[in-house]
């Protein structure tokens, strides 16, 4: 997804973790990431079929995999995951979370990760021992900050309207999203298995949250759900020692 995406369709390169990773030697990167893609799209679309073939065509030093964030944002935007507090304690962030819907989303994302990672283990794969690095995103502040396309606000926000729809108090909105993200990302953390060459880089809690009232670039975030270059640099710094330990310098 966009946290590791290069530009495409002729659009200038925008910041991502990938653009902020600096290496000591010339490094070739093959990118299959597209902004907005969910883990389901990554597992099913034609571009992922090409990704599957790459495992059999050449040996890589490492694979960086980012997915699940858009699945969560799509679910929230679609009216899932969140619910009115109803008879529950309106001062408790958990009262606004539909745990059954969240568990179903975690199961869905888990299956998609399993599908993608299974390609690494195929008999035809040249990358059965190639290390794979996953990550846990960070906690976005719900706010009226849209993503820009060609310099103009065009997409989003994703979180704020969903929270407003269930009458979540402003003072609780960040806590609600943080609780949802922490729970949801446990399904990614569950893949951490260094002995199998799968490493989950814990990036959650790295970035400084933006102000809930700011509509543009603020703190480490350029809009509601995407970090700015400084934020991505902080996240990239979490990957550097992990990659170095794997011999990617």
């Amino acid at each position: 997804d966009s946290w590791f995406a290069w530009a495409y369709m002729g659009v200038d390169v925008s910041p991502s973790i990938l653009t902020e990773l600096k290496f000591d030697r010339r490094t070739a990167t093959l990118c299959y990431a597209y902004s907005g893609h969910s883990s389901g799209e990554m597992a099913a679309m034609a571009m992922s079929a090409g990704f599957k073939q790459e495992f059999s065509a050449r040996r890589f030093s490492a694979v960086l995999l980012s997915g699940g964030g858009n699945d969560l944002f799509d679910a929230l935007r679609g009216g899932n995951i969140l619910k009115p507090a109803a008879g529950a304690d309106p001062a408790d962030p958990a009262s606004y979370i539909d745990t059954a819907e969240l568990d179903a989303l975690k199961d869905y994302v888990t299956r998609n990760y399993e599908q993608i990672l299974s390609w690494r283990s195929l008999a035809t794969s040249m990358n059965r021992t190639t290390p794979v690095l996953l990550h846990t995103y960070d906690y976005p502040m719900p706010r009226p900050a849209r993503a820009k396309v060609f310099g103009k606000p065009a997409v989003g926000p994703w979180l704020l309207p969903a929270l407003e729809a269930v009458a979540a108090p402003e003072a609780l909105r960040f806590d609600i999203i943080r609780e949802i993200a922490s729970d949801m990302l446990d399904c990614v953390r569950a893949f951490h298995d260094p002995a199998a060459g799968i490493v989950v880089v814990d990036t959650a809690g790295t970035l400084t949250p933006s102000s809930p009232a700011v509509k543009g670039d603020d703190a480490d975030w350029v809009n509601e759900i995407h970090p700015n270059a400084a934020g991505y640099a902080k996240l990239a710094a979490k990957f550097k020692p992990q990659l170095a330990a794997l011999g990617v310098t």
Side-chain angles (χ1 to χ4, degrees), residues 123-144:
T124 56
S125 173
M126 297 178 63
N127 293 275
R128 279 174 282 178
T129 60
T130 299
V132 180
L133 279 73
L134 317 179
H135 72 97
T136 56
Y137 295 94
D138 210 327
Y139 307 125
M141 174 67 71
R143 62 190 181 107

Side-chain angles (χ1 to χ4, degrees), residues 75-243:
L76 290 168
R77 186 169 49 185
N80 302 316
I81 311 299
L82 291 171
K83 63 181 181 66
D89 182 0
D92 182 0
S95 299
Y96 300 88
I97 302 171
D98 187 326
T99 55
E101 289 281 354
L102 185 55
D103 286 344
L105 177 64
K106 291 164 63 177
D107 288 343
Y108 174 72
V109 172
T110 295
R111 291 195 302 272
N112 291 327
Y113 265 93
E114 288 173 344
Q115 176 65 66
I116 295 169
L117 292 171
S118 72
W119 300 335
R120 170 179 176 257
S121 304
L122 293 174
T124 56
S125 173
M126 297 178 63
N127 293 275
R128 279 174 282 178
T129 60
T130 299
V132 180
L133 279 73
L134 317 179
H135 72 97
T136 56
Y137 295 94
D138 210 327
Y139 307 125
M141 174 67 71
R143 62 190 181 107
R146 307 182 74 193
K148 294 182 179 180
V149 177
F150 296 111
K152 296 183 178 180
V155 187
W158 294 259
L159 311 178
L160 182 60
L163 288 158
E164 290 175 336
V166 297
E170 183 175 343
L172 293 182
R173 290 172 184 172
F174 181 69
D175 291 334
I176 293 169
I177 293 301
R178 183 169 55 188
E179 189 162 328
I180 289 172
S182 294
D183 190 349
M184 189 269 183
L185 291 170
D186 281 344
C187 73
V188 177
R189 294 185 179 97
F191 284 97
H192 184 70
D193 185 0
I198 301 175
V199 175
V200 177
V201 182
D202 196 351
T203 53
T206 301
L207 304 180
T208 300
S210 54
S211 166
V214 176
K215 296 182 178 181
D217 195 325
D218 185 57
D220 287 328
W221 301 81
V222 69
N223 54 54
E224 191 185 39
I225 64 172
H226 297 102
N228 53 28
Y232 279 126
K234 289 183 179 180
L235 297 166
K238 292 290 185 75
F239 279 83
K240 282 287 288 183
Q242 300 284 357
L243 286 166

Side-chain angles (χ1 to χ4, degrees), residues 27-53:
T27 303
T29 303
L30 181 64
C31 185
Y32 277 90
Y34 282 78
S35 298
H37 276 179
S38 66
S39 67
E41 289 169 324
M42 292 166 62
M45 290 179 67
M47 69 112 183
S48 290
F51 173 62
K52 176 181 178 180
Q53 294 168 359

